[in-house]
Amino acid sequence: MSFLTEAEPDRGALLPVLPGISRIVANNPGPMTYYGTNTYLIDTPDGTAVLDPGPEGHPEHVDAILRHTGGRVALILVSHTHHDHVGAVPALQAATGARTVGFRTSGIAAFDPDIKLDHNGSIAGIYALHTPGHASDHICYVVTAANGDNVLFSADHVMSWSTSIVSPPGGDMRAYFSSLNLLLGRDDDVYLPGHGPLLREPRNLVRAMLTHRMLREQSIARKLADGPGDANSIMEALYKQLNPKLKKAAERSVLAHLLKLEAEGKAIRDGELWRAA
């Protein structure tokens, strides 16, 4: 797969993305977050919507959002309830009084959106696509930019710089396959991910990601055909050149594949061990 890179963005700066859309990158870099979480400011008929205020414990990032919006925030959108996207919601809501928006069934008890959206729901000209897989409550929001581009905020479902982790129980590989296929059936011009740069011609990468997952699943099935194993031993056999910092994430993805194979009647679990059905 061909991934994109970008220079490290200026922290706290308002970075134009498309007409009516800009981003501020939180200072939470890491092997799972690239340079940090993208917080998007979106012009809507109701005012400025803030998508994914970022992680908790970064008051300087909330200050930057307030500075660049003048504290006038109409809506706080949440793509999903992983902490690096939703952690700063309480601080931003306390400072602005803005209503929060998210999927109707939150993935965590600490976040209950004021406005609950389902698949194909909408608010302020922004449409929601429920795309579970990376997280059970994952939403991709869709808007039409001022230049006419059909823009999909792909959050952590599809990122331009890396594949996404699918970690049970919140992560579900069957749902992830289905959600990738959902996006393949669309004709969006641009994806704006939760981490990393803008992605044009996005279906090429979506197709490559789906193929990558299918090939990985075939490798896991072949490994099971050779004899039983647990998720860690299968991961070690298939990810031999992997950065050690990413091994736990890879093990979780292997487990997600195993659970998918089990649901499809292709694998059987015996405690920690798995074998071919």
Side-chain angles (χ1 to χ4, degrees), residues 2-13:
S2 297
F3 291 114
L4 302 180
T5 60
E6 63 177 347
E8 184 168 3
D10 292 335
R11 304 299 178 181

Side-chain angles (χ1 to χ4, degrees), residues 53-58 61-62 65 83-93:
E56 70 281 6
H58 286 268
H61 186 64
V62 176
I65 296 171
H83 82 98
D84 56 319
H85 296 258
V86 76
V89 165
L92 185 61
Q93 187 172 36

Side-chain angles (χ1 to χ4, degrees), residues 92-103:
L92 185 61
Q93 187 172 36
T96 64
R99 295 175 299 167
T100 57
V101 182
F103 185 59

Side-chain angles (χ1 to χ4, degrees), residues 210-220 222:
L210 186 58
T211 299
H212 167 75
R213 291 292 186 182
M214 292 170 66
L215 292 174
R216 180 65 70 196
E217 189 165 289
Q218 290 170 13
S219 297
I220 293 171
R222 286 195 296 269

Side-chain angles (χ1 to χ4, degrees), residues 37 51-56 76-90 100-116 130-141 155-157 167 169-171 195:
T37 301
L51 171 57
D52 288 348
E56 70 281 6
I76 300 171
L77 308 176
V78 172
S79 66
H80 63 294
T81 51
H82 288 169
H83 82 98
D84 56 319
H85 296 258
V86 76
V89 165
T100 57
V101 182
F103 185 59
R104 59 175 170 77
T105 305
S106 175
I108 60 173
F111 176 71
D112 184 31
D114 299 315
I115 300 168
K116 298 172 171 59
H130 184 215
T131 49
H134 174 72
S136 62
D137 58 359
H138 196 287
I139 286 179
C140 291
Y141 294 98
D156 286 4
H157 181 50
S167 178
H195 310 271

Side-chain angles (χ1 to χ4, degrees), residues 14-133:
L14 187 67
L15 307 174
V17 179
L18 290 167
I21 302 171
S22 54
R23 69 170 173 151
I24 309 168
V25 183
N27 191 15
N28 61 324
M32 307 300 294
T33 56
Y34 197 45
Y35 285 125
T37 301
N38 290 330
T39 294
Y40 291 101
L41 307 187
I42 308 165
D43 292 344
T44 81
D46 294 352
T48 302
V50 175
L51 171 57
D52 288 348
E56 70 281 6
H58 286 268
E60 78 288 349
H61 186 64
V62 176
D63 288 344
I65 296 171
L66 295 172
R67 183 170 66 254
H68 292 303
T69 61
R72 294 181 294 276
V73 175
L75 295 168
I76 300 171
L77 308 176
V78 172
S79 66
H80 63 294
T81 51
H82 288 169
H83 82 98
D84 56 319
H85 296 258
V86 76
V89 165
L92 185 61
Q93 187 172 36
T96 64
R99 295 175 299 167
T100 57
V101 182
F103 185 59
R104 59 175 170 77
T105 305
S106 175
I108 60 173
F111 176 71
D112 184 31
D114 299 315
I115 300 168
K116 298 172 171 59
L117 294 181
D118 211 332
H119 184 64
N120 287 329
S122 67
I123 185 169
I126 302 174
Y127 294 84
L129 299 177
H130 184 215
T131 49

